[in-house]
Amino acid sequence: LNCLLYLILSIVFTSYLTLSFKVVGRFGIPVFQAIVFNYITCVITGSLVNASFPLNSQSIQEPWFGWALTMSCMFISIFNLIGFTAQKLGVAVASVSNKLSLVIPFVFSIYLYNETATWVKIAGILLALVAVVCTCLPGKEQSAKPGYSAGGVALLWPAVLFLSSGLLDTLVKYVQQTYLNESNNNAYLITAFLGAATLGSIALVVLVASGRMKFHPGSILAGIAIGIPNYFSIWALVKVLKQYEGNSSAILPINNMGIVLFSSVVAWLLFRERLSLLNWLGIVLSIAAIALIAFG
């Protein structure tokens, strides 16, 4: 029951992040600024959850420290890509482009951790890929959006999100299984968030000081609204993976497909992002893929 609750929290919170970029754009708040304050909020939230700031001078010597810094760079880069794609091409396209990467941690889990790959699971993964492609293909309304071009943005950003998100999910799984336990899990997350906050803050100060970006006060509130769910999305995912250490090849795809389904439907309901018949077919296929992966 706890595992199911953590999985639902991970799906809802991660979907919320993608959806929030749409709202941020409508208020004219620069995505990058909101992302920087989001990571500052993540650090504060994690410290409150832990009832103390879990880092000290000894943290640098921990074997997970270098991986946390790598995760910091990936965090802020991927978040900006997701925000850009959500605003330019829509929430559904951003979400499926991001979570199409489920095939990467699946393959790594099979070969690195010798997890079982049944034909049913493999069929589920293949069906999932077809499903997210169907969901991702834009209709005429999306194709007409400013910044969309069949040979440019539409192909470049989904490809970059695919690779980077897949590697991030794989990194989370590797570090969780190799280095983390209940005593250092929060310290690892705080380090990753603090690194992203530091990198982003330095870049933001330089951009504002040089006049290349104007500071928007609303980005502070936006960062808080995004940062709290962001922290708990990673926290919940790590909890799920810890309880199912030998079956991440099923958990990660289910988590990712759940995010695709939830965010696409909510975007359709709240933002009136129109889905074509092919997009709806993709959602139906996603449900079938989840069943195959979960019970395979």
Side-chain angles (χ1 to χ4, degrees), residues 120-159:
V120 176
K121 274 189 180 181
I122 293 174
I125 286 292
L126 294 176
L127 185 60
L129 293 176
V130 174
V132 291
V133 169
C134 289
T135 310
C136 190
L137 287 175
K140 292 181 180 179
E141 184 179 280
Q142 289 168 308
S143 301
K145 288 184 178 182
Y148 180 95
S149 59
V153 174
L155 297 178
L156 175 61
W157 301 125

Side-chain angles (χ1 to χ4, degrees), residues 267-286:
W268 174 67
L269 292 173
L270 294 184
F271 304 121
R272 300 302 179 188
E273 289 191 357
R274 294 186 179 180
L275 300 176
S276 66
L277 289 176
L278 187 62
N279 297 151
W280 281 113
L281 174 62
I283 290 177
V284 172
L285 292 177
S286 297

Side-chain angles (χ1 to χ4, degrees), residues 101-238:
S101 61
L102 58 88
V103 68
I104 296 178
F106 174 79
V107 171
F108 271 90
S109 293
I110 299 302
Y111 285 99
L112 288 181
Y113 310 121
N114 297 316
E115 294 184 8
T116 304
T118 65
W119 285 109
V120 176
K121 274 189 180 181
I122 293 174
I125 286 292
L126 294 176
L127 185 60
L129 293 176
V130 174
V132 291
V133 169
C134 289
T135 310
C136 190
L137 287 175
K140 292 181 180 179
E141 184 179 280
Q142 289 168 308
S143 301
K145 288 184 178 182
Y148 180 95
S149 59
V153 174
L155 297 178
L156 175 61
W157 301 125
V160 175
L161 282 177
F162 169 80
L163 292 173
S164 56
S165 297
L167 291 175
L168 178 59
D169 282 345
T170 304
L171 174 62
V172 170
K173 170 61 183 175
Y174 171 75
V175 176
Q176 171 267 319
Q177 186 154 321
T178 308
Y179 301 111
L180 302 186
N181 51 53
E182 287 297 326
S183 65
N184 62 13
N185 179 56
N186 200 57
Y188 172 76
L189 288 179
I190 294 298
T191 301
F193 286 132
L194 181 61
T198 303
L199 290 173
S201 297
I202 293 172
L204 180 58
V205 169
V206 172
L207 289 171
V208 172
S210 63
R212 284 181 287 176
M213 180 180 288
K214 185 177 180 181
F215 178 71
H216 195 303
S219 60
I220 298 176
L221 290 177
I224 294 172
I226 296 172
I228 295 174
N230 187 17
Y231 173 82
F232 284 108
S233 70
I234 300 294
W235 175 85
L237 179 58
V238 171

